[in-house]
């Protein structure tokens, strides 16, 4: 989970740059611009490219920091297809609370509590998997393994 939180901090920079680029090129004047849904779709694609590219190379920067590597069920590097499936299944961390928030006018604190509660539940559900891995990894045919830093020769 520490790696996941660190990844979130790194993604802030990705969102900042991608959002700035989109809004500058699209000449968006405020956050309530009618094209904000296009921005969200653009960020979804940017996130996908970011994660899929790093996963097919074995690790994101946060994963390198925490000594974690992603492999397929056989221990081989993940393919682009498998990384894309993992990316899409990874949205299970966010879609249920987003769907629950959508019809209601919840405050920021209530939304944060709902998100935090779901993330905690989803993380605890990994305890029910035989290898204690997250379910999106099991469904995608991937797993996270410990990785020692690669030596330079």
């Amino acid at each position: 989970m520490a790696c996941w939180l660190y990844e979130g901090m790194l993604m802030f920079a990705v969102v900042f740059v991608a959002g700035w680029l989109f809004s500058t090129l699209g000449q968006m004047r405020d956050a309530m611009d009618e094209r904000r849904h296009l921005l969200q779709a653009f960020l979804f694609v940017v996130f996908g490219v970011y994660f899929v590219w790093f996963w097919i190379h074995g690790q994101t920067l946060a994963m390198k920091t925490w000594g974690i590597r992603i492999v397929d069920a056989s221990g081989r590097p993940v393919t682009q297809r498998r990384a894309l499936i993992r990316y899409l299944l990874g949205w299970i961390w966010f879609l249920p609370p987003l769907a629950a928030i959508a019809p209601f006018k919840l405050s920021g604190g209530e939304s944060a509590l709902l998100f935090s509660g779901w993330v905690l539940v989803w993380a605890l559900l990994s305890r029910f998997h035989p290898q204690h891995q997250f379910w999106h990894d099991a469904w995608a045919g991937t797993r996270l393994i410990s990785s020692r830093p690669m030596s330079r020769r």
Side-chain angles (χ1 to χ4, degrees):
M1 290 298 291
C3 178
W4 188 74
L5 291 172
Y6 182 44
E7 195 77 66
M9 291 189 313
L10 295 173
M11 291 309 295
F12 180 80
V14 173
V15 169
F16 182 82
V17 171
W20 173 80
L21 183 64
F22 185 90
S23 62
T24 300
L25 293 176
Q27 297 183 353
M28 293 176 69
R29 300 288 181 229
D30 59 58
M32 298 309 291
D33 190 289
E34 60 199 28
R35 295 167 292 173
R36 69 183 178 278
H37 299 299
L38 286 174
L39 172 60
Q40 292 168 345
F42 176 71
L43 290 174
F44 179 79
V45 171
V46 168
F47 288 169
V49 169
Y50 171 88
F51 283 113
V52 168
W53 190 85
F54 277 107
W55 289 338
I56 63 174
H57 292 91
Q59 299 169 295
T60 63
L61 181 59
M63 293 167 83
K64 285 180 184 180
T65 302
W66 289 95
I68 299 170
R69 181 172 289 281
I70 184 170
V71 294
D72 69 9
S74 303
R76 295 184 306 254
V78 296
T79 62
Q80 188 173 3
R81 181 177 182 272
R82 190 167 305 277
L84 181 61
I85 291 169
R86 184 179 193 264
Y87 170 70
L88 295 173
L89 289 171
W91 278 94
I92 293 173
W93 286 89
F94 301 103
L95 289 181
L98 284 175
I101 290 170
F104 306 106
K105 300 262 188 223
L106 299 179
S107 71
E110 292 167 332
S111 297
L113 182 65
L114 185 62
F115 266 102
S116 300
W118 175 252
V119 166
L120 181 63
V121 166
W122 188 248
L124 289 173
L125 285 174
S126 69
R127 299 286 115 205
F128 294 105
H129 187 275
Q131 284 85 36
H132 300 289
Q133 63 178 336
F134 293 115
W135 286 99
H136 66 278
D137 275 318
W139 297 330
T142 58
R143 60 191 173 105
L144 300 175
I145 60 171
S146 294
S147 173
R148 283 185 246 124
M150 299 173 79
S151 63
R152 294 185 179 175
R153 290 184 180 230

